[in-house]
Amino acid sequence: MVQFESKTMTENLKHHEYGPSGLGLLERCTGSHSAQALAEDRDSEAAAEGRLLHSLVPYDTPIPETVSIDQEGLVDRCRQILATYMETGWSDIEYERRVTLRDTDGSEINFGTVDVLIRYPDHTVIIDWKFGRVIVPSAETNIQLANYAAAIMQELGQDRCIGVVYQPRSTEPPTEYVFSDAATIASNIKYLIQREKNQKLAGLYVYIPGDWCRGCRALSTCNAVRSELPNNSYGKHNPPIQPADTLAEFRRARLAERYGRSAIDEIKRAIVANQSHGLALVERPGNRKFKSVSETLDIATENVEYSQLVDAGAISISVRRLEDLLAKEWRKAGVSVEECKRIFREKFNDVLTRGESRYEIREIPDDESQ
Ligand code: SF4
C-alpha cells in the first residue's frame, strides 16, 4: 500500500482564496465559496494520490517501488502526452509553476500552480493533469486552464497560449484550446470573484445544487442539498451537524441514499423501456478476470514465488463461494445445512482468518442512548 504524504502547511498556503482550481465550482454555485470556508478541509486518499502522481510526471523522477503498476501506467501516459507537446523549438519546461493573474492596474486578481509550462519563442503550452475519474470540462470550457493561460500570457507578454487538459484514467484523448485574449479572461474572472464578494456583503448566499456538488467540501452540510429540493435555496448556510442532530441527520442521509439508489434503478428501467429523456445506458467493459486459475498460477510462478502472490493479495479464494460449493456436495450425501457449516469450520479452521475490520453506523436503542 503506497504511503501518501498528508497535506502540509505549505501546501495550504499555496492556494489563493479564489484560486483557479475553485473557480469552476464558484461559477456554478457562488454559495459554495463561503460554505466550503465553513467546512473542514480534510485530506483524502484521492487527493494525496493526485499529489504523488503529479510529482512523478517529470521525466527525471524515479518511480518508487511502492507505486502500483496501474499508477505507473498513468504516469507513463502523461509522459507520452508531454512528449507530443515537446516538439522542436521549445526553450524551457517548468513543472508546478506558480502563476499570478493581474488586473489592468497590475494588482493581483488571484494566483495558482500550473502543472506543466513549456515555452516556445512566440507562445507557451500549459498542461493540467487530472488523475481523478470524474470527467472534467474540456480545455475550451475549462476556467481553471483559462486562468493559468491568461496569467502566463500577461507575464510573458505573449498573445497565444495552448492549454491542455489530460485525464489519464479516462479513455478520452487530451483536449486542447488556444487561448488568446488574456484581458477578457482576466476581467471575467475578476467579475466572478467580485460577484461572490458582493453577494456575501449583501448577506445573500446563492446555492445551485448539481453534479458539481460532488467536488464541494460542504456537500454534507449543504442546505440546498439537505433539503433535497433541486432548486435555489436562499439564506444563511447551516452550521456543521450538531451532536444532538446526528441521529436525525443519519436517518435523512440514509433515506436520501436509499432514495437515490432506487431512483437510479427506476430511471434505468425507464431508459430500457424508452420512457426517458436526455439519458442513455452506456455499456462499460466488465472487470478483467482470468479464464483459468491453474494456467494463471503457472504463468505467474514463472516470474514470482507463490508466497509473493499470496502476500501481495494477488490470489485469494472466496470463502463464501468455496463453502457453498462444498456444502452442495455434502448435501447430496444428506448432510444437514448446519452440519455442513460445522464441517467447513472444522476442516478450514487452521487456514481461516479475518480480514481488516470495517465500520458501519448503527442506531443505539433509546434505553441505551441516555
Ligand atoms: S453542495 Fe452544491 S449546492 Fe451546496 S454549496 Fe456545495 S456546490 Fe453549492
Side-chain angles (χ1 to χ4, degrees), residues 4 44-56 131-132 169:
F4 300 123
S44 69
E45 201 165 314
E49 185 202 42
R51 287 197 299 275
L52 171 75
L53 298 179
H54 274 88
S55 71
L56 296 177
F131 288 100
R169 276 207 164 99

Side-chain angles (χ1 to χ4, degrees), residues 63-79:
I63 305 284
E65 276 274 313
T66 50
V67 165
S68 73
I69 193 69
D70 250 0
Q71 290 163 329
E72 196 171 343
L74 298 173
V75 172
D76 277 352
R77 258 172 258 149
C78 291
R79 288 180 175 179

